[in-house]
Amino acid sequence: MADGKAQAKFSTIHFILLLLTLWVFLSYSYAYDKAFYQAHIIDYLQWPIIFIAITRIVSTKERFYVFLMIFFVCNLKLSIGTAKIWLMSGFANMGGNLNGPAGFFQNSGELAIEMLIMFGLSLGLYKAYFNNEQRFGKFIIILAIGTSIATLIGAGSRGSQIALIFMVLIWFRSALLKPTQLILGATIILIVWLNFPEAQKARFSTIGTDRPSLQRQLYWQNGYEIIRSHPIGGVGFYGYIPYYYDHFPDDMLYASVGLPHNIFIQVGTDLGLVGLLLYCALILAPLVRTRPYFVTYAKGADSIAVIRPILAGLNYGFVGFLVAGQFVSVVYYPFMWIYLALTVTGTAAFPLPSGRVR
């Protein structure tokens, strides 16, 4: 942080994050359960701190390369280890018991979302480097793609598996005009489907009718009611669980109440429409920030030829997170916050030909 090359480059994303943080602090004044607020406030505050630290330290192309490499290698270790567990099980249905190390990715659902991030980044690296890599480099890229898909299947998270299909369809959206890509995309989907455990295929047939689905629907319906009854500021940071206990005791299909299993309902109940608007602005800001890197005039610029596919891969992973986030409560997990940091540092290290990135 104190190094001479470390420098803070204030961006639109910094500004939106500052406003969101201030709103989180203000929500304490009307929080439905102040004890819950105090117990969980670090779940949010750690991310602005980490975001600011990363965007200050990762200030050059070289530092971005090193940081991205560390991020990639850590995820590769995670994907190899978890894919191995599933492969050694004989491609069995592990019933949500394929877990990562203790921490944010221990639960199979959160592990699967991190593999969506890894899968998207790996696709970007494939497009950027595969044709120019030696055999070992090509092996690493294919290994990253293959093990992230294997973990996604083994983890058994329906939301993440739907997100994976969505990402593949977007990636190969122009495949109808390119037979090679069409064959590759169809092959990936076929391999995934053939290796799907029968029990997982059966789970898709019960979407909307099994107990987890019914509980999610109750969480969503009641979450909407909470937002409608507290539109401006919600019920305070992390107030969903105690509020649900007190107001919807008849809508509990399990012994305890969980979070609303949707990132937008989670933010809306925590922070109201004001917080939800700021959160949506945080989602749109990096997509808007990276958009100029893909327009026609920028495609011929050698200075950003390397970063463009990496940004595309990060965006694909982020879209996967957004799709999966409709079924789980992962607002205060690393996914979005590290993506924001990578986007800000990547675009700052590789500016557009005009020299300006907002």
Side-chain angles (χ1 to χ4, degrees):
M1 291 290 289
D3 184 87
K5 291 184 179 180
Q7 50 184 305
K9 295 181 179 180
F10 198 77
S11 66
T12 302
I13 295 176
H14 284 85
F15 178 69
I16 299 171
L17 187 58
L18 175 61
L19 292 179
L20 181 61
T21 303
L22 290 174
W23 191 250
V24 170
F25 278 124
L26 285 173
S27 74
Y28 180 76
S29 63
Y30 59 84
Y32 182 77
D33 191 316
K34 288 182 168 54
F36 259 77
Y37 179 105
Q38 294 169 346
H40 293 280
I41 186 60
I42 189 61
D43 293 355
Y44 171 78
L45 287 183
Q46 60 187 330
W47 298 120
I49 294 170
I50 291 172
F51 172 82
I52 292 171
I54 292 173
T55 54
R56 176 172 174 80
I57 295 169
V58 185
S59 56
T60 65
K61 292 180 181 180
E62 295 78 10
R63 292 186 177 198
F64 179 79
Y65 281 136
V66 172
F67 186 78
L68 184 70
M69 181 173 64
I70 293 171
F71 180 76
F72 177 80
V73 170
C74 287
N75 276 283
L76 182 61
K77 180 180 184 297
L78 183 60
S79 68
I80 291 174
T82 51
K84 179 182 176 183
I85 293 172
W86 183 60
L87 294 175
M88 294 298 288
S89 74
F91 304 98
N93 175 36
M94 302 192 69
N97 292 319
L98 181 60
N99 302 319
F104 288 109
F105 312 131
Q106 184 172 4
N107 179 277
S108 60
E110 282 74 57
L111 170 66
I113 297 178
E114 185 63 17
M115 291 300 99
L116 291 173
I117 305 293
M118 178 60 166
F119 178 66
L121 177 59
S122 300
L123 288 179
L125 295 176
Y126 173 88
K127 188 173 182 179
Y129 298 115
F130 190 80
N131 291 334
N132 299 320
E133 278 292 330
Q134 300 297 320
R135 288 183 179 179
F136 180 73
K138 291 181 178 180
F139 170 75
I140 291 296
I141 293 174
I142 294 298
L143 184 66
I145 294 174
T147 55
S148 58
I149 292 175
T151 298
L152 277 161
I153 298 173
S157 170
R158 289 179 293 190
S160 292
Q161 290 166 354
I162 291 171
L164 173 63
I165 295 172
F166 191 79
M167 291 170 65
V168 171
L169 291 176
I170 294 178
W171 183 265
F172 294 105
R173 63 189 180 278
S174 60
L176 291 177
L177 302 177
K178 299 177 181 179
T180 303
Q181 287 192 14
L182 179 61
I183 293 172
L184 180 59
T187 301
I188 292 176
I189 294 174
L190 180 61
I191 291 173
V192 170
W193 181 251
L194 290 176
N195 286 284
F196 244 59
E198 290 300 322
Q200 286 196 37
K201 292 179 182 178
R203 287 190 71 219
F204 275 93
S205 66
T206 62
I207 288 180
T209 59
D210 59 357
R211 187 164 68 151
S213 298
L214 293 174
Q215 183 64 82
R216 277 188 174 89
Q217 292 172 33
L218 290 172
Y219 283 154
W220 297 342
Q221 293 168 9
N222 294 326
Y224 172 75
E225 289 300 321
I226 294 172
I227 296 172
R228 194 172 70 168
S229 59
H230 300 79
I232 303 301
V235 292
F237 181 76
Y238 242 87
Y240 180 87
I241 292 177
Y243 190 94
Y244 197 102
Y245 263 119
D246 294 343
H247 292 80
F248 306 104
D250 296 331
D251 290 339
M252 294 170 53
L253 304 184
Y254 293 88
S256 60
V257 174
L259 290 168
H261 286 73
N262 180 285
I263 56 175
F264 296 113
I265 294 178
Q266 184 179 8
V267 174
T269 54
D270 277 1
L271 304 171
L273 296 179
V274 174
L276 185 58
L277 179 63
L278 292 172
Y279 184 71
C280 290
L282 270 184
I283 289 174
L284 293 175
L287 299 176
V288 172
R289 183 183 177 96
T290 58
R291 175 60 184 167
Y293 285 77
F294 309 110
V295 298
T296 303
Y297 84 88
K299 289 184 177 180
D302 293 337
S303 61
I304 61 171
V306 173
I307 195 63
R308 187 185 305 113
I310 293 174
L311 293 175
L314 291 171
N315 285 348
Y316 279 113
F318 186 54
V319 169
F321 155 76
L322 292 176
V323 174
Q326 304 313 301
F327 309 98
V328 286
S329 301
V330 289
V331 175
Y332 310 117
Y333 281 72
F335 314 115
M336 177 174 172
W337 312 103
I338 301 300
Y339 162 76
L340 291 175
L342 285 168
T343 300
V344 169
T345 54
T347 51
F350 297 84
L352 292 167
S354 64
R356 289 192 62 187
V357 175
R358 289 185 292 175

